[in-house]
Amino acid sequence: MAQKEFSVVGKRITRIDAYERVTGQAQYTGDIQLAGMLYARLLRSPHPHARVVSIDTSKAEKLAGVKAVIHHQNAQVPWASGGHTHRRYIFNNPVRFVGDAVAAVAATDRHIAEEALGLIEVKYEKLPHVLDPNEALKPGAPKISTDGNLSVGKGNFSAPIAEQWGDLEKGFKEADRIFEDTYISKHVNNAQLEPRASVAKWEGGKLTVWASTQGVSNARTDIAKDLGLPLSKVRVICKYMGAGFGNKNQAQDYDLMAAVLAKVTGQPVKVEFTREDDFIGMHGRWASEQHYKIGVKRDGTITAVELDAVTNVGAYRKQSGNLSGTDFYQIPNFKKVVKPVHTNTVVGANYRAPAYPQSVFGFASFLDQIAHEMGINPLEMFLKNRVRLYANKTPFTSNFLEECAVEGAKKVGWKEKWHKAGAAAGPKKHGIGMALGGYPFRPGLGAAAIRVNPDGTAHVLVGVTDIGTGAKTTMAIIAAEALGIPLNQIQLTNGDTDVTPYSVGESGSRTTPFTGPAVIAAAEDVRKLIFNVAAPQLKAKAEDLDLRDGKVFVKSNPSQSLPLGRAVARSGELIGRATTNPTFKGLAGKSFAAHFAEVEVDSRTGHVKITRYVAVHDSGTIINRLAAESQIKGGVVQGIGMALTEELLIDRFTAIPLNPSYRDAKVPTHLEVPEIEVVFIEHPDPYGPFGGKVVGEPPITPAVATVANAIFNATGKRIKELPITPDKILRAAQV
Amino acid sequence: MAQKEFSVVGKRITRIDAYERVTGQAQYTGDIQLAGMLYARLLRSPHPHARVVSIDTSKAEKLAGVKAVIHHQNAQVPWASGGHTHRRYIFNNPVRFVGDAVAAVAATDRHIAEEALGLIEVKYEKLPHVLDPNEALKPGAPKISTDGNLSVGKGNFSAPIAEQWGDLEKGFKEADRIFEDTYISKHVNNAQLEPRASVAKWEGGKLTVWASTQGVSNARTDIAKDLGLPLSKVRVICKYMGAGFGNKNQAQDYDLMAAVLAKVTGQPVKVEFTREDDFIGMHGRWASEQHYKIGVKRDGTITAVELDAVTNVGAYRKQSGNLSGTDFYQIPNFKKVVKPVHTNTVVGANYRAPAYPQSVFGFASFLDQIAHEMGINPLEMFLKNRVRLYANKTPFTSNFLEECAVEGAKKVGWKEKWHKAGAAAGPKKHGIGMALGGYPFRPGLGAAAIRVNPDGTAHVLVGVTDIGTGAKTTMAIIAAEALGIPLNQIQLTNGDTDVTPYSVGESGSRTTPFTGPAVIAAAEDVRKLIFNVAAPQLKAKAEDLDLRDGKVFVKSNPSQSLPLGRAVARSGELIGRATTNPTFKGLAGKSFAAHFAEVEVDSRTGHVKITRYVAVHDSGTIINRLAAESQIKGGVVQGIGMALTEELLIDRFTAIPLNPSYRDAKVPTHLEVPEIEVVFIEHPDPYGPFGGKVVGEPPITPAVATVANAIFNATGKRIKELPITPDKILRAAQV
């Protein structure tokens, strides 16, 4: 499919809300101030597993300024988005991890609320706890969920997660060699910049929640369900938010706490999390232990893969707990069993490409290892086994994974730079590594409205929240392109369920493929109305008209034209709208990526310096080059952190998280990351809006494995447990 | 046309935003608080006509907390909505009335801003002034407008306003008697509850104005035009407002002052008016002097009417200055010349039914007088001469004026109670009077959007501001009825140009006839989408489906049905929208009214007590009985005030307004008004939404004349100049 001539799509476009963001005028949830607003703080369990025998709030309630204290006895509100396995409430008894919410206080200021927390007297009966998922599965282990510690699935979330195709036995028989090994990933926090906050206000029977959410529509659905309200009586607003990376999908327990406190007190209530609350009271990426058995032919071709894994979903199941890193390889015979397990630790759930970077680390590390052991160049190994058919059967809408790998290898100079693992000279050892990645590109339900003003400028209404991805700008670009007017004539309103159309929520990299087509369809809808009013003015038929660059013209004679503002001047305004639900008709969608890194490992200190990073992506047409590049860079940075430094450490005896802060959890800073070179292999996908696929989640997927493989290439030592810290490198060197 | 069976329309429905209003949660413009917001105050001219020779703001600017001072030298912004005759600016030089804005100060708090006003040193060169419109028309009178004191028309506003049909000379020849007389009305302030306020904020190149406006779309258009911005870069928000009665149409000069001050200071700015500012700095109803010549047959039939009048539009022309009180009578030969004249007084412009109550007072008083002099019962006189064809030629869409008069006469007991004027016995004299009124019902441009949620509840988006008329509730009722769902499942968003569709603005009683049809059409639009998704579920064709009371069903078999929430559960949301522009095809539209009052005039004190008031209205179908009754009552109250007490007094020598306050301008209180009995003659109009015509402006139109005629019936003395105060009654009694 030939590249279309675009007016706006594909340029490097600064964000349409850049001014508001950089001048501090953008109102984030934490900035919301309402008359009579109260401040709420949470009391959290100090025990990993305990029954709450009694709660005495009388002293707290007597403190001047305290307006309400809620807990499991007076606020047993179910929490839908946490209720995938067993029934979960905003306050649970027993409490199941250190950080589980026990009570919430609303007071006239923050300090009083915090002081009141210390006055709540809770009697706990300690229960035995378990932190390791393998231990938790043993008979006689402390029972965390009433359904057992193998997290029982509900809805989309089965347990164990099993997938299989081909004939595994035959596959292993066809193999010349069979390898088995285990790779381990740890819990890392999403560590988004904006701490959680929620403001709730009731007006009669109507609840408004200013939420820091990735999806206002989903948050509304959840809150309405949990509180038993019709959708029209819940308004969720999120105009600006400071990222979530899957950690702010839908509504959270604190949104409900704010709503309950606001109802009880009759005043608006703001719940605010500290950074520590964020680390221990929310969730991070599920840890995993992945045992692989891989059969390969002599030439490196995979014949069979068996994956047997446990993932640690913590005390409550919020999301799948799956592992999907094998997705990027053509595996003729496959079996996967992933067991999501409950432990008495902080919840493991969605974090950018939830099931990917930890298992891409495992599988691509192992494949790199197998290549090493079989004397095959890893580039050849990855190219040979790259995926052609999804799950060995379904063609992709488009697939330029091969081009990504070839182009990246060329750009990084693989041929010249790759050497045998551990073969570099000197104390500072050069290494080069690569891995494949990507993320599903799915079709689905979207909606949008476009209002064309009588001067030809336009208002676009979309439900997207713009979680830092630049989605508002993307939607404005798509609207400008589809409508045929300059971008600066578009005004966009987002993230308010009372006024903006349904959006799926910014998770699963779904915004562009779900809402993008709706914006295009809404533009087409209003163009019809425009052509109807312009036709008599241009003495032409409506169907013979086109609109580009703000001019309505006769297709066969473009000089016969009218500025849009003249054409619609007497129309008050024209409104286009669409609800779209595209399908791929038997195809699978995926964005693809091949990443390459060079490192310098100091063999005396174990310090790893990434000296070069090349990320090559097939995301179809790039809608906004500037934003897309930023997304790639951000994903790589998070992958580097996960590869080298990040881990939430839990004390083995007390189960207390030891490093719940940016500094101690070692989220990378500018000093730890190199300039990242981004390359797009840009072929329009026939099913994406203007040919675009997805951008947000792909870049994190291969980054951990890429860095790990480069370290192996430098040191000749395979570290199989994340993060690859200097102590592990030094210890491995001593073996 | 038979009355349709309605589910929601026609009930007595409390306002959908009643909770927010009565609990104080409703945010009016004055309630808006923004971070870093400044407060602005205005310096006004103490002279009726003067050239500003110099303005020295240095002392004011040195006052700590003062951020900006603007005036005609540094902020010469044109003001479109005030620019109908000559070019007008937000600060003018020369200043042309006591109260004309000279400068505005923005400071960190209100008190500093007020203190700073006193530090601005203005040198004025006084110019000769004129207050009386007849004087102003004389040669050699002080020149107020450069175009002359007869206000030159532009656009819709001609000068003089001339209208004529039939053959006046022939008409007077056919008359058995010819009467001539002059009636005078005075300037009265709209005196709405909410004082003016405006908050402006810039975000980069985008301006947001929280305005207390009757029309956010028109306000946006005006502001964009005046400041040279595209419509997409101006957002006007007005969610709640405390009435305007025509005084807050479109944008006002203070909206522009707020915008300029916000631009200059880089901070949000709130302009607030005091009550005195409201009385002298804005406008009231234009005063008038109406000279009539009326020819009648012996039986009372009018053969010809000539009206020669001047109206006082004050220093600047904002609106028509017309007089239309003859509209309710069948006049075969007619000539009208109305001269809108500039004087050095506060502006006379729109106030509820702008051209009517003062001229209905004149014409219906005179007709009552003629009936008296010819020995005809006024009821007969009014019935005989009631209008049948608009302007003696155009049929009405519907006209039940006769029924109004007949029904009202019956209800008040006219036959039994009417007596010869001045014939009542005792010091407290009984009187009874009547008059006819109404207001044009026009078709025009409207827009609306309706979003149906996946649970079957719905969001209605309309641009109406709801100026106190209950327009939000009216639109929700129309949407519920048209959509076929219960009213409590409708959530309505209004008054925000970034998100709500175009609305004409709540002036000219246009909201229901302009936006109502758009709401119905948007409902029909989304019903089609609903039927498309419901059809396969109901195994029926989309065109065979209907939706009522929240159920989608097969028309031929209503038991084959689905709750709407089930039918659309998987649709994300469905969006209906419409831009409508209905026409009447050679017909004229009008709501009609006949009012009846009984009074008791104390012949010793001149005090008038209204003992009974019956208002009978033909407004087609009544959409919300409760709101419609309130509208009628409110209009009558304002008419009573204008009849008996209200007048803005201007000192003859200094031109200073003497009574710019509620108390001194004698706006009626509960003590001055009786319980008002409201009767609707309810026949659906074939062109109105669900048969509704207009309600807002009709009730004030006949009220002044009705009271005046009742006083005449009590005293036998005709007072020809408003207001009919006790001193005038006593003086007339002495003649």
Side-chain angles (χ1 to χ4, degrees):
Chain A
M1 189 179 160
Q3 182 78 22
K4 214 181 134 182
E5 278 282 319
F6 292 122
S7 301
V8 194
V9 161
K11 307 267 184 300
R12 298 182 68 82
I13 291 166
T14 50
R15 304 214 171 174
I16 57 169
D17 56 0
Y19 181 91
E20 292 84 333
R21 288 189 190 264
V22 301
T23 57
Q25 294 204 41
Q27 229 185 10
Y28 291 77
T29 304
D31 297 324
I32 301 290
Q33 294 296 339
L34 302 175
M37 191 178 76
L38 302 174
Y39 294 82
R41 289 291 185 274
L42 268 65
L43 182 70
R44 300 188 175 281
S45 169
H47 306 298
H49 202 191
R51 188 167 306 282
V52 177
V53 179
S54 67
I55 300 188
D56 183 352
T57 60
S58 56
K59 279 187 197 156
E61 281 164 2
K62 272 180 205 141
L63 184 66
V66 170
K67 297 290 177 182
V69 185
I70 58 170
H71 45 75
H72 78 279
Q73 287 170 343
N74 63 6
Q76 201 180 30
V77 179
W79 177 25
S81 53
H84 289 301
T85 52
H86 44 78
R87 197 154 182 76
R88 184 178 181 182
Y89 300 91
I90 57 172
F91 301 107
N92 294 285
N93 191 11
V95 287
R96 295 180 174 91
F97 67 100
V98 173
D100 212 351
V102 174
V105 174
T108 47
D109 75 37
R110 297 169 165 109
H111 310 293
I112 295 171
E114 280 169 14
E115 192 183 339
L117 294 182
L119 299 175
I120 301 172
E121 290 173 1
V122 188
K123 273 193 195 146
Y124 295 98
E125 177 198 336
K126 288 196 212 174
L127 301 172
H129 69 272
V130 60
L131 303 180
D132 181 88
N134 289 312
E135 293 297 319
L137 286 177
K138 287 184 181 162
K143 214 173 170 185
I144 298 163
S145 163
T146 48
D147 298 321
N149 292 344
L150 173 62
S151 179
V152 172
K154 212 174 86 176
N156 294 326
F157 300 112
S158 59
I161 303 159
E163 201 178 4
Q164 147 159 41
W165 62 74
D167 182 333
L168 201 67
E169 206 176 326
K170 181 171 150 275
F172 283 120
K173 267 187 200 149
E174 287 168 7
D176 294 312
R177 290 185 65 179
I178 291 173
F179 298 86
E180 279 196 66
D181 213 338
T182 299
Y183 285 80
I184 290 169
S185 75
K186 296 299 183 68
H187 180 107
V188 291
N189 187 266
N190 303 36
Q192 81 296 333
L193 201 59
E194 183 196 27
R196 272 156 198 77
S198 186
V199 180
K201 179 188 178 180
W202 291 86
E203 285 167 312
K206 185 173 181 204
L207 171 67
T208 300
V209 180
W210 287 263
S212 175
T213 179
Q214 295 178 223
V216 290
S217 299
N218 287 345
R220 179 179 70 159
T221 304
D222 288 345
I223 292 168
K225 186 177 163 193
D226 294 342
L227 298 179
L229 295 168
L231 292 173
S232 57
K233 294 294 177 196
V234 179
R235 179 182 189 182
V236 178
I237 303 173
C238 180
K239 297 280 182 187
Y240 294 92
M241 70 96 89
F245 304 115
N247 207 329
K248 291 178 183 166
N249 286 352
Q250 295 95 37
Q252 298 294 339
D253 52 359
Y254 57 89
D255 294 314
L256 297 169
M257 291 175 198
V260 172
L261 285 169
K263 187 86 179 175
V264 170
T265 59
Q267 290 173 260
V269 171
K270 182 191 276 184
V271 172
E272 293 168 308
F273 272 29
T274 61
R275 184 64 64 191
E276 183 176 338
D277 280 324
D278 248 29
F279 268 80
I280 70 170
M282 285 300 302
H283 71 246
R285 187 184 298 283
W286 51 83
S288 67
E289 194 174 314
Q290 312 158 32
H291 184 77
Y292 293 99
K293 183 177 171 188
I294 303 179
V296 288
K297 294 251 185 209
R298 198 157 295 117
D299 68 352
T301 309
I302 295 171
T303 61
V305 172
E306 187 175 8
L307 167 59
D308 189 22
V310 292
T311 52
N312 185 352
V313 297
Y316 303 96
R317 181 122 176 235
K318 279 177 80 174
Q319 293 294 340
S320 79
N322 198 3
L323 295 168
S324 305
T326 50
D327 266 18
F328 309 106
Y329 303 92
Q330 192 69 21
I331 303 171
N333 304 290
F334 181 67
K335 186 181 176 191
K336 169 169 92 171
V337 175
V338 178
K339 301 190 193 93
V341 179
H342 288 300
T343 64
N344 293 112
T345 60
V346 55
V347 171
N350 285 350
Y351 175 2
R352 199 173 193 165
Y356 286 89
Q358 66 274 57
S359 59
V360 171
F361 159 70
F363 192 72
S365 289
F366 199 16
L367 216 57
D368 189 71
Q369 180 66 24
I370 292 167
H372 171 73
E373 295 188 22
M374 295 181 72
I376 301 173
N377 187 302
L379 176 63
E380 193 194 326
M381 188 78 178
F382 283 112
L383 273 171
K384 194 183 296 277
N385 290 299
R386 75 178 193 281
V387 69
R388 279 86 159 177
L389 295 172
Y390 176 71
N392 206 38
K393 65 169 190 243
T394 310
F396 290 102
T397 59
S398 64
N399 176 352
F400 297 91
L401 180 55
E402 181 180 13
E403 284 80 348
C404 288
V406 169
E407 179 64 26
K410 203 172 110 191
K411 187 167 176 74
V412 80
W414 183 271
K415 216 170 140 187
E416 305 77 39
K417 290 183 180 166
W418 184 82
H419 49 74
K420 286 215 157 166
K428 289 196 176 181
K429 297 190 180 296
H430 170 268
I432 188 166
M434 70 169 288
L436 306 180
Y439 195 79
F441 154 53
R442 289 169 284 181
L445 199 58
I450 300 181
R451 302 166 45 221
V452 174
N453 292 318
D455 69 350
T457 60
H459 291 268
V460 175
L461 289 102
V462 281
V464 307
T465 44
D466 201 341
I467 60 172
T469 55
K472 281 152 81 170
T473 308
T474 307
M475 294 303 130
I477 290 169
I478 291 175
E481 190 70 52
L483 203 48
I485 69 172
L487 181 62
N488 65 8
Q489 294 185 11
I490 298 269
Q491 186 65 41
L492 184 133
T493 298
N494 74 310
D496 179 345
T497 58
D498 260 15
V499 300
T500 56
Y502 168 83
S503 174
V504 66
E506 274 170 79
S507 56
S509 293
R510 292 177 295 176
T511 303
T512 303
F514 281 40
T515 305
V519 173
I520 294 174
E524 282 164 2
D525 191 44
V526 79
R527 280 165 63 96
K528 275 188 210 141
L529 303 178
I530 291 167
F531 296 152
N532 281 341
V533 303
Q537 301 175 64
L538 282 165
K539 294 178 183 43
K541 284 184 189 160
E543 60 267 33
D544 295 337
L545 299 182
D546 198 356
L547 166 58
R548 276 181 84 86
D549 302 323
K551 269 190 185 163
V552 186
F553 60 92
V554 181
K555 279 183 238 177
S556 59
N557 177 18
S559 67
Q560 197 178 332
S561 73
L562 257 181
L564 176 58
R566 277 252 302 288
V568 299
R570 302 177 67 84
S571 301
E573 75 177 47
L574 299 172
I575 311 172
R577 54 75 174 100
T579 303
T580 48
N581 201 352
T583 55
F584 283 172
K585 297 162 197 148
L587 300 175
K590 213 170 224 106
S591 281
F592 292 102
H595 283 198
F596 297 82
E598 289 181 74
V599 298
E600 197 178 74
V601 180
D602 190 322
S603 55
R604 299 160 302 189
T605 63
H607 178 76
V608 176
K609 183 181 177 187
I610 300 169
T611 55
R612 193 173 181 199
Y613 201 104
V614 175
V616 187
H617 282 256
D618 160 25
S619 285
T621 303
I622 297 304
I623 309 285
N624 180 2
R625 207 159 300 277
L626 188 62
E629 285 179 8
S630 295
Q631 282 296 302
I632 305 302
K633 291 176 183 179
V636 171
V637 170
Q638 288 182 314
I640 289 172
M642 188 172 157
L644 296 182
T645 53
E646 290 182 68
E647 176 182 4
L648 184 67
L649 297 164
I650 309 274
D651 181 75
R652 209 175 297 180
F653 301 104
T654 62
I656 293 173
L658 296 173
N659 58 344
S661 69
Y662 270 7
R663 191 193 58 191
D664 295 336
K666 300 202 183 296
V667 179
T669 70
H670 278 286
L671 291 177
E672 278 88 43
V673 294
E675 193 56 48
I676 291 144
E677 298 164 49
V678 180
V679 178
F680 291 112
I681 302 296
E682 207 176 337
H683 300 285
D685 184 277
Y687 290 85
F690 293 123
K693 298 201 281 190
V694 310
V695 175
E697 275 159 310
I700 197 176
T701 62
V704 186
T706 298
V707 172
N709 287 343
I711 293 170
F712 173 73
N713 183 252
T715 63
K717 302 291 178 184
R718 180 69 59 184
I719 314 290
K720 297 172 191 167
E721 182 176 325
L722 293 176
I724 306 175
T725 46
D727 61 308
K728 286 180 189 157
I729 290 171
L730 291 177
R731 211 178 303 140
Q734 288 161 3
V735 174
Chain B
M1 188 178 162
Q3 182 78 21
K4 214 181 135 181
E5 277 283 317
F6 292 123
S7 301
V8 194
V9 161
K11 308 268 184 299
R12 298 182 68 82
I13 290 166
T14 50
R15 303 212 172 176
I16 57 170
D17 57 0
Y19 180 92
E20 292 84 334
R21 288 188 190 264
V22 300
T23 58
Q25 293 204 43
Q27 230 186 6
Y28 291 77
T29 304
D31 297 324
I32 301 291
Q33 294 296 339
L34 302 175
M37 190 177 78
L38 302 174
Y39 295 82
R41 290 290 185 274
L42 269 66
L43 182 70
R44 300 187 175 282
S45 168
H47 305 299
H49 202 193
R51 187 168 307 282
V52 177
V53 178
S54 67
I55 299 188
D56 182 352
T57 60
S58 56
K59 280 187 196 155
E61 281 164 2
K62 272 181 205 142
L63 185 66
V66 170
K67 298 290 176 180
V69 185
I70 58 170
H71 45 76
H72 79 277
Q73 287 171 343
N74 62 7
Q76 201 180 30
V77 179
W79 176 25
S81 54
H84 288 301
T85 51
H86 43 78
R87 198 154 180 76
R88 183 177 182 182
Y89 300 91
I90 58 172
F91 302 108
N92 294 284
N93 190 12
V95 287
R96 296 181 174 90
F97 67 99
V98 174
D100 212 351
V102 173
V105 174
T108 48
D109 74 36
R110 298 168 164 109
H111 310 293
I112 295 171
E114 281 169 13
E115 192 183 339
L117 293 183
L119 299 175
I120 300 172
E121 290 172 2
V122 187
K123 274 195 194 142
Y124 295 99
E125 176 198 338
K126 287 197 213 174
L127 300 171
H129 69 271
V130 60
L131 302 181
D132 180 86
N134 289 312
E135 293 297 320
L137 287 178
K138 288 182 180 163
K143 215 173 170 184
I144 299 163
S145 163
T146 48
D147 297 321
N149 293 343
L150 174 63
S151 179
V152 172
K154 211 174 86 177
N156 294 326
F157 301 111
S158 60
I161 303 158
E163 202 178 4
Q164 147 159 40
W165 62 73
D167 183 333
L168 201 67
E169 207 177 326
K170 182 172 149 274
F172 283 121
K173 268 190 197 144
E174 286 168 9
D176 293 313
R177 288 185 66 178
I178 291 173
F179 297 86
E180 278 196 67
D181 213 337
T182 300
Y183 285 79
I184 291 169
S185 75
K186 296 299 184 67
H187 180 107
V188 291
N189 188 264
N190 302 34
Q192 82 295 335
L193 202 58
E194 184 196 26
R196 273 156 196 78
S198 186
V199 180
K201 179 187 177 181
W202 292 86
E203 285 167 312
K206 184 172 180 202
L207 171 66
T208 300
V209 180
W210 287 262
S212 175
T213 178
Q214 295 177 224
V216 290
S217 299
N218 287 345
R220 179 179 71 159
T221 305
D222 287 346
I223 292 169
K225 186 176 163 195
D226 294 342
L227 299 178
L229 295 167
L231 292 174
S232 57
K233 293 293 178 198
V234 180
R235 178 183 189 182
V236 178
I237 302 174
C238 181
K239 296 280 181 186
Y240 295 92
M241 70 96 89
F245 304 114
N247 208 328
K248 292 178 183 164
N249 286 352
Q250 295 96 37
Q252 298 293 339
D253 52 359
Y254 57 88
D255 294 313
L256 297 169
M257 291 174 198
V260 171
L261 285 168
K263 187 86 178 175
V264 169
T265 59
Q267 289 175 260
V269 171
K270 182 191 276 184
V271 171
E272 294 168 308
F273 271 30
T274 61
R275 185 63 64 190
E276 183 176 337
D277 280 324
D278 249 29
F279 267 80
I280 70 168
M282 286 299 303
H283 71 246
R285 187 184 298 283
W286 51 80
S288 67
E289 194 175 313
Q290 312 158 32
H291 184 77
Y292 293 99
K293 182 177 171 190
I294 303 180
V296 287
K297 293 251 186 208
R298 198 157 294 118
D299 68 352
T301 308
I302 294 171
T303 61
V305 171
E306 187 176 8
L307 166 59
D308 190 21
V310 292
T311 53
N312 184 352
V313 297
Y316 303 97
R317 180 120 176 235
K318 280 177 81 176
Q319 294 295 340
S320 79
N322 198 2
L323 295 168
S324 305
T326 49
D327 266 18
F328 309 106
Y329 303 93
Q330 193 68 21
I331 302 170
N333 304 289
F334 180 69
K335 186 182 176 191
K336 169 169 92 171
V337 175
V338 178
K339 301 191 193 93
V341 179
H342 289 299
T343 64
N344 293 111
T345 60
V346 55
V347 171
N350 284 350
Y351 175 0
R352 199 173 192 165
Y356 286 87
Q358 66 276 58
S359 58
V360 171
F361 159 71
F363 192 71
S365 289
F366 198 16
L367 217 57
D368 187 71
Q369 180 68 24
I370 293 169
H372 171 73
E373 294 188 22
M374 294 180 73
I376 299 172
N377 187 302
L379 176 63
E380 192 194 327
M381 189 78 177
F382 284 112
L383 273 172
K384 194 184 295 279
N385 290 299
R386 75 180 192 280
V387 69
R388 277 88 160 176
L389 295 172
Y390 176 71
N392 205 37
K393 66 169 191 243
T394 310
F396 290 102
T397 60
S398 63
N399 177 352
F400 297 92
L401 179 55
E402 181 180 13
E403 284 80 348
C404 288
V406 170
E407 179 64 25
K410 202 172 109 192
K411 188 168 175 71
V412 80
W414 184 272
K415 217 170 138 187
E416 305 77 43
K417 290 183 179 168
W418 185 81
H419 49 74
K420 286 213 155 169
K428 290 196 175 181
K429 296 188 181 297
H430 170 268
I432 188 165
M434 70 169 288
L436 305 181
Y439 195 80
F441 154 55
R442 288 170 285 181
L445 200 57
I450 300 180
R451 302 167 45 223
V452 174
N453 292 319
D455 69 349
T457 59
H459 292 269
V460 175
L461 289 103
V462 280
V464 305
T465 45
D466 202 342
I467 59 171
T469 55
K472 281 152 82 171
T473 308
T474 307
M475 294 303 131
I477 291 170
I478 291 174
E481 189 71 51
L483 203 49
I485 70 172
L487 181 62
N488 65 8
Q489 293 184 11
I490 298 269
Q491 186 65 41
L492 183 134
T493 298
N494 74 308
D496 179 346
T497 57
D498 260 16
V499 299
T500 56
Y502 168 82
S503 174
V504 66
E506 275 170 79
S507 56
S509 293
R510 292 177 296 176
T511 303
T512 303
F514 281 42
T515 305
V519 172
I520 294 173
E524 281 164 2
D525 191 44
V526 79
R527 281 166 62 97
K528 275 189 209 139
L529 303 177
I530 291 168
F531 296 152
N532 281 340
V533 303
Q537 300 175 64
L538 282 165
K539 296 177 183 43
K541 285 184 188 160
E543 60 266 35
D544 295 335
L545 299 183
D546 198 356
L547 166 57
R548 277 182 84 86
D549 302 322
K551 270 190 185 164
V552 186
F553 60 92
V554 180
K555 280 183 239 175
S556 59
N557 176 19
S559 68
Q560 198 179 333
S561 73
L562 259 180
L564 176 58
R566 278 253 301 289
V568 299
R570 303 175 67 84
S571 301
E573 76 176 46
L574 300 172
I575 311 171
R577 53 76 175 97
T579 304
T580 48
N581 201 351
T583 55
F584 283 172
K585 297 161 195 148
L587 300 176
K590 210 168 227 112
S591 282
F592 292 101
H595 284 199
F596 297 82
E598 288 181 73
V599 297
E600 195 178 78
V601 180
D602 190 321
S603 55
R604 297 160 303 188
T605 62
H607 178 76
V608 175
K609 183 180 176 188
I610 299 170
T611 55
R612 193 172 181 200
Y613 201 104
V614 176
V616 188
H617 281 256
D618 160 25
S619 285
T621 304
I622 296 305
I623 309 286
N624 180 1
R625 206 158 300 277
L626 189 60
E629 285 179 8
S630 295
Q631 283 297 302
I632 305 302
K633 291 176 182 179
V636 171
V637 169
Q638 289 182 312
I640 289 172
M642 188 172 157
L644 297 182
T645 53
E646 290 182 68
E647 175 182 6
L648 184 68
L649 297 164
I650 310 272
D651 181 76
R652 210 175 296 181
F653 302 103
T654 62
I656 293 173
L658 296 172
N659 57 346
S661 70
Y662 270 8
R663 191 193 57 190
D664 297 336
K666 298 202 184 295
V667 179
T669 70
H670 279 286
L671 291 177
E672 277 89 44
V673 294
E675 194 55 49
I676 290 143
E677 298 164 48
V678 180
V679 180
F680 290 113
I681 302 294
E682 206 176 340
H683 300 285
D685 184 277
Y687 290 85
F690 293 122
K693 297 200 282 189
V694 310
V695 176
E697 275 160 309
I700 197 175
T701 61
V704 186
T706 298
V707 172
N709 287 342
I711 293 170
F712 173 73
N713 184 252
T715 62
K717 303 290 179 183
R718 180 69 58 182
I719 314 289
K720 298 171 192 167
E721 182 175 324
L722 292 176
I724 306 176
T725 45
D727 61 308
K728 287 180 190 157
I729 290 172
L730 291 177
R731 211 178 304 137
Q734 288 160 3
V735 176

